[in-house]
Amino acid sequence: MRFIINLLKNVLVIIFGWKTFNAFRFILRHGYIPNFINPRTFSEILQWQKYYGGIEKYNKYIDKYEARKYAKSIIGDSYLVPLIGLYNSVDEILWDILPSKFVIKATHGSGWNILVQNKAQHNWNDSKNKLQKWIKTSYYKTTGEINYKNIKPRIIIEEYLEEPSGDLLDYKFWCFDGKAQFIGVIGDRQNKTKGVILDLNWLALPIKYPRLTRWQKIPPKPNKLPEMIIIAEQLAAIFPFVRVDLYCIEGKIFFGELTFTPGDGFNLKIPKELDLKYGSLIPLHKYPKFSVA
C-alpha cells in the first residue's frame, strides 16, 4: 500500500509540481484553499517560505552535524549529545569498537535515524544497507523541502539518550520571531507514539498532531522548563520561525535539532483563529528572500 501511495505521489508531483501538489494536501488537511502568495495563517506561511522565503539558505542549520556547531556557538557544548563519530561513508564506521548503545543519523534528512539499543543483537547488515541507501538519496528531491537542498550526505553517531523509564520525551519548542509560543511533547514510542501541544504554562491547547495518539494524561512538566525556554529562544533568535527540539533527562538538558518545515509543513492541525494568531507573529520580511505580491 505504501508503495502505491508513494508512486501516486510521485506521478502527481511530476504532473503538477510540488507547489500545486502541496496545495492539494493543504486543502485536504485544513479545509480551505491556501494563499501561498500573500499568506496570513501560520499553516500558509509554512508552505510560502519553501517557495518565496529562501529557506534553502538555512541548510547549514538543518544539517545534523552543522546544527551542533551552531548550537555550540550559542549555548555551549555542555548541551550537546556526546558525539561518537562523523563519517562520510558507511565503510568508515568501525562497528566492532562502538559502544553497546548508540544512535546513527543521516545528517541530510529528517527521520533517517537508527536506534541501536543492543549492538550484540542488532543486524548491522540491514542497517548498513539502509544507510547506504540514505547516503545516495536527496531528501530534498524526495519531499520537495528546499531547505534540505545541497546538504552534504554524511553520517553521525551519538550517544544513546534514555530516561530511567526507558522512554525519551521530545520537547519541541515552536518559536515565532525568537519567542517560544507553544510546546509539543512526544513520547511513549515503545507503545504507540503519543503527542500533545501545550502552552508555556503547561496547559493543553486545541492543536493536534493528526498522526499521533493524544496523551490521555499530560506528561509531568520538566523541572528545567524555564531554562529550556531560554535555550530554545536563544537558538531561535535569528529566525522568523523555527522549531527547537530539546531533551531533559534527570535535570540535564540536551539539544536535539532545528526544524523549519515540521512534517513538511503539515505537522499540525490548528484551529483557524489560532492559525491566524500565530501567522501574525512571523515577520515575513526577516526571511532570507522576502517575496510577496
Side-chain angles (χ1 to χ4, degrees):
M1 178 61 73
R2 181 174 292 274
F3 172 78
I4 295 174
I5 291 174
N6 287 334
L7 179 62
L8 179 60
K9 182 199 80 171
N10 292 336
V11 170
L12 291 174
V13 168
I14 291 172
I15 295 172
F16 297 106
W18 280 109
K19 185 161 61 172
T20 301
F21 173 74
N22 282 328
F24 290 145
R25 291 177 66 192
F26 191 100
I27 294 169
L28 292 174
R29 170 57 56 85
H30 299 289
Y32 65 94
I33 299 174
N35 186 337
F36 291 168
I37 304 299
N38 290 295
R40 295 180 61 222
T41 67
F42 174 43
S43 299
E44 289 174 326
I45 291 171
L46 285 174
Q47 300 304 318
W48 168 89
Q49 63 175 351
K50 292 189 286 186
Y51 312 115
Y52 303 102
I55 60 172
E56 63 271 21
K57 295 183 179 180
Y58 289 161
N59 58 14
K60 66 180 179 181
Y61 305 108
I62 294 170
D63 181 301
K64 298 291 189 295
Y65 181 71
E66 299 301 322
R68 291 173 54 93
K69 292 162 65 174
Y70 169 70
K72 179 180 178 179
S73 72
I74 301 298
I75 58 177
D77 58 7
S78 64
Y79 294 102
L80 300 182
V81 179
L83 181 69
I84 294 173
L86 170 69
Y87 313 90
N88 290 308
S89 72
V90 180
D91 293 333
E92 293 179 8
I93 299 174
L94 300 177
W95 178 258
D96 291 339
I97 68 172
L98 292 173
S100 60
K101 285 186 174 186
F102 49 90
V103 178
I104 311 174
K105 300 179 180 180
T107 61
H108 62 299
S110 176
W112 287 354
N113 309 319
I114 298 173
L115 307 183
V116 179
Q117 296 176 305
N118 187 331
K119 188 177 74 169
Q121 298 177 2
H122 189 81
N123 190 324
W124 170 234
N125 285 329
D126 284 352
S127 293
K128 191 174 182 179
N129 291 335
K130 186 179 292 185
L131 289 167
Q132 287 173 333
K133 179 180 179 181
W134 288 345
I135 284 289
K136 297 175 182 177
T137 303
S138 165
Y139 194 81
Y140 158 62
K141 291 181 180 179
T142 302
T143 68
E145 296 174 77
I146 197 168
N147 40 314
Y148 286 92
K149 188 176 182 180
N150 298 327
I151 298 178
K152 181 181 179 181
R154 292 179 293 181
I155 300 164
I156 59 170
I157 299 181
E158 295 177 335
E159 285 192 7
Y160 190 95
L161 296 184
E162 185 176 38
E163 297 173 13
S165 66
D167 195 13
L168 180 63
L169 292 181
D170 196 346
Y171 301 96
K172 300 177 179 294
F173 294 80
W174 298 67
C175 300
F176 300 73
D177 199 15
K179 297 296 180 183
Q181 296 295 332
F182 54 85
I183 307 164
V185 184
I186 294 179
D188 200 19
R189 292 179 174 86
Q190 294 175 334
N191 298 301
K192 189 173 184 180
T193 304
K194 297 178 177 65
V196 67
I197 300 294
L198 308 168
D199 65 17
L200 300 190
N201 294 313
W202 216 246
L203 299 174
L205 290 170
I207 304 173
K208 298 178 181 179
Y209 285 111
R211 295 185 177 180
L212 299 182
T213 301
R214 189 176 175 88
W215 291 97
Q216 292 186 349
K217 183 179 180 181
I218 294 175
K221 182 193 300 186
N223 58 8
K224 290 293 186 74
L225 181 61
E227 183 180 353
M228 295 171 79
I229 293 172
I230 291 172
I231 289 171
E233 292 184 343
Q234 287 176 331
L235 292 170
I238 63 173
F239 305 111
F241 164 76
V242 67
R243 196 192 73 197
V244 180
D245 294 359
L246 303 174
Y247 306 101
C248 186
I249 303 174
E250 297 186 292
K252 172 67 174 174
I253 301 169
F254 293 97
F255 167 71
E257 65 178 4
L258 303 176
T259 305
F260 300 92
T261 53
D264 196 11
F266 295 98
N267 199 224
L268 300 179
K269 176 72 173 177
I270 309 178
K272 190 67 174 288
E273 64 275 13
L274 286 180
D275 215 358
L276 286 165
K277 171 189 172 182
Y278 294 126
S280 71
L281 300 178
I282 299 177
L284 299 185
H285 67 276
K286 291 187 178 181
Y287 274 92
K289 185 176 67 178
F290 171 61
S291 175
V292 296

